[in-house]
Amino acid sequence: MVGPERPQFVLFGSSIVQFSFSNEGWGAVLAHIYARKADIILRGYSGWNSRRAVQILDQVFPKDAAKQPSLVIVYFGGNDSILPHATGLGPHVPLSEYIENVRKIAIHLESLSEKTRVIFLTAPPVCEKQLRASLSGAVDMVRTNDSCRIYSEACLEVCRGMNLKAIDLWTAMQQVENWETVCLT
């Protein structure tokens, strides 16, 4: 331990979390805002989905840890919402399983401490034209804005049912003028 103990804010999710400190991203902004007030801890795993997250919950968030996070911001859903690949491989998670995984993640995180707060981020929108151009056939996976919407709505519904906070990235980002170039890289 270095210096006085501070609250821990854990960012837990896939590539949107892993790369959140790049290019003055949202993780870097949080670290700046909470400098000397909270420790921002990154637990981002590029390419992961909610199924993988459930498998490692106990390792990333052990219930017997001496100190539990004050806040956990959770993002899974973008990779889950990629359409199923013909081979059965890939990050796609069926919607019903995704919904159950979000519940499992929420239950586990809420059980860590009475003081642990949880916020879920929904799947953001995707600009299909921009995605196709950047991948240019290199990856044989399809992510559509409509599939992101469906998973985003499912996340919001679970959070409403469990009385959890959620940020609707899918809707909020598309309200920004020129969101495809302003909000996406």
Side-chain angles (χ1 to χ4, degrees):
M1 178 67 163
V2 177
E5 191 169 298
R6 294 188 274 216
Q8 294 179 345
F9 295 177
V10 180
L11 313 182
F12 180 52
S14 60
S15 59
I16 284 181
V17 171
Q18 181 175 332
F19 302 124
S20 67
F21 280 78
S22 301
N23 302 316
E24 299 177 17
W26 66 275
V29 170
L30 281 176
H32 176 74
I33 291 170
Y34 289 98
R36 299 188 308 172
K37 297 176 191 143
D39 292 327
I40 310 300
I41 300 169
L42 184 64
R43 293 296 179 265
Y45 306 93
S46 183
W48 280 36
N49 55 28
S50 64
R51 182 182 296 144
R52 301 272 316 263
V54 167
Q55 292 170 351
I56 65 157
L57 273 175
D58 289 323
Q59 294 164 294
V60 177
F61 299 100
K63 290 185 179 187
D64 61 352
K67 182 173 182 175
Q68 295 294 352
S70 299
L71 172 67
V72 181
I73 299 176
V74 181
Y75 167 76
F76 289 100
N79 292 327
D80 299 73
S81 71
I82 289 175
L83 299 179
H85 191 272
T87 64
L89 301 174
H92 172 75
V93 171
L95 185 61
S96 60
E97 181 185 348
Y98 170 74
I99 289 167
E100 188 56 32
N101 291 343
V102 170
R103 277 194 190 98
K104 288 176 182 176
I105 293 166
I107 289 167
H108 182 87
L109 295 175
E110 285 195 308
S111 74
L112 296 176
S113 163
E114 288 182 10
K115 295 182 180 184
T116 298
R117 300 295 173 246
V118 180
I119 301 172
F120 278 83
L121 306 178
T122 70
V126 62
C127 176
E128 295 170 34
K129 180 180 174 185
Q130 185 183 45
L131 188 61
R132 276 191 303 273
S134 69
L135 296 177
S136 62
V139 179
D140 188 22
M141 290 187 281
V142 178
R143 178 179 286 164
T144 68
N145 204 33
D146 193 52
S147 66
C148 290
R149 176 190 57 78
I150 291 167
Y151 281 69
S152 175
E153 289 173 354
C155 179
L156 292 171
E157 174 114 3
V158 171
C159 289
R160 274 192 294 274
M162 296 182 74
N163 200 28
L164 292 169
K165 302 290 183 197
I167 298 172
D168 183 358
L169 294 178
W170 191 86
T171 300
M173 288 172 66
Q174 291 181 90
Q175 292 174 346
V176 174
E177 188 175 341
N178 299 316
W179 66 271
E180 298 95 332
T181 54
V182 173
C183 298
L184 302 174
T185 58

